């Protein structure tokens, strides 16, 4: 009877327990997100970054989109950490966040959503879709690393 009430300690994963595709995917998410922020800051400079934030705060709709983008940045980082710990919710959270990003980018780039704070340039809808595919290719490859290899699927099934 005492075995029923005995609490087993949580299983701690070591780096050797995490499959290589999952480790690569988690590190790729973290590195690409942090590098994109650094490259944006380096490209815009201090004045450009301050102007970008100032323009984003001009109206409620652009402020909400700007805040949502920052929130999404931290959600993606949290999903990367969770999936490297073997949590299946981190994997699905990352997929859902990418679906939201692709939907917003497509709608904003085609001019169906205003304001287009984050959008891709293209003369025709086909050019916009092509630019979107090229822009999101690394994220699609990360998703493939999380779902396609057998070791990744087994790792997340064992964590349930």
């Amino acid at each position: 009877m005492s075995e029923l009430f005995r609490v087993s300690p949580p299983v701690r994963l070591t780096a050797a327990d995490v499959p290589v595709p999952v480790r690569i995917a988690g590190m790729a998410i973290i590195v690409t997100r942090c590098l994109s922020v650094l490259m944006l800051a380096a490209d815009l400079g201090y004045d450009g970054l301050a102007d970008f934030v100032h323009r984003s705060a001009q109206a409620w709709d652009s402020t909400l989109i700007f805040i949502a983008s920052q929130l999404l940045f931290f959600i993606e980082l949290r999903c990367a950490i969770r999936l490297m710990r073997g949590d299946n919710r981190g994997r699905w959270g990352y997929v859902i966040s990418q679906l939201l990003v692709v939907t917003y980018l497509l709608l904003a780039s085609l001019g169906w959503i205003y304001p287009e704070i984050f959008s891709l340039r293209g003369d025709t809808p086909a050019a916009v879709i092509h630019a979107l595919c090229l822009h999101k290719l690394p994220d699609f490859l990360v998703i493939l690393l999380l779902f396609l290899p057998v070791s990744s699927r087994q790792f997340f099934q064992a964590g349930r």
Side-chain angles (χ1 to χ4, degrees):
M1 183 73 171
S2 64
E3 287 109 28
L4 290 175
F5 299 110
R6 198 172 292 163
V7 178
S8 61
V11 177
R12 299 195 122 227
L13 293 175
T14 63
D17 296 334
V18 180
V20 173
V22 174
R23 193 176 319 151
I24 290 171
M27 287 188 294
I29 294 168
I30 294 169
V31 168
T32 55
R33 297 310 176 255
C34 292
L35 278 178
S36 68
V37 169
L38 287 175
M39 287 173 39
L40 179 66
D43 188 34
L44 294 177
Y46 179 76
D47 293 333
L49 201 56
D51 185 50
F52 176 69
V53 173
H54 178 71
R55 278 187 289 132
S56 298
Q58 293 297 317
W60 281 105
D61 49 359
S62 59
T63 303
L64 288 176
I65 291 172
F66 181 72
I67 291 172
S69 71
Q70 300 307 308
L71 183 65
L72 192 62
F73 172 78
F74 290 113
I75 288 172
E76 287 177 346
L77 290 181
R78 180 67 179 146
C79 287
I81 292 168
R82 288 184 83 150
L83 66 90
M84 289 176 68
R85 291 184 178 168
D87 192 358
N88 197 26
R89 290 179 292 181
R91 182 171 69 153
W92 285 106
Y94 182 71
V95 169
I96 291 169
S97 70
Q98 289 307 305
L99 287 174
L100 288 172
V101 168
V102 166
T103 303
Y104 173 78
L105 275 175
L106 182 62
L107 295 176
S109 299
L110 292 174
W112 295 349
I113 292 180
Y114 183 79
E116 298 122 358
I117 293 176
F118 303 104
S119 63
L120 301 172
R121 305 267 183 246
D123 297 334
T124 63
V128 168
I129 291 172
H130 179 68
L132 179 64
C133 290
L134 289 178
H135 183 73
K136 297 311 282 178
L137 183 64
D139 297 317
F140 179 69
L141 293 175
V142 166
I143 291 171
L144 285 180
L145 282 174
L146 294 174
F147 285 92
L148 197 58
V150 175
S151 61
S152 296
R153 291 192 306 251
Q154 290 172 348
F155 177 68
F156 288 111
Q157 287 174 355
R160 287 186 189 180

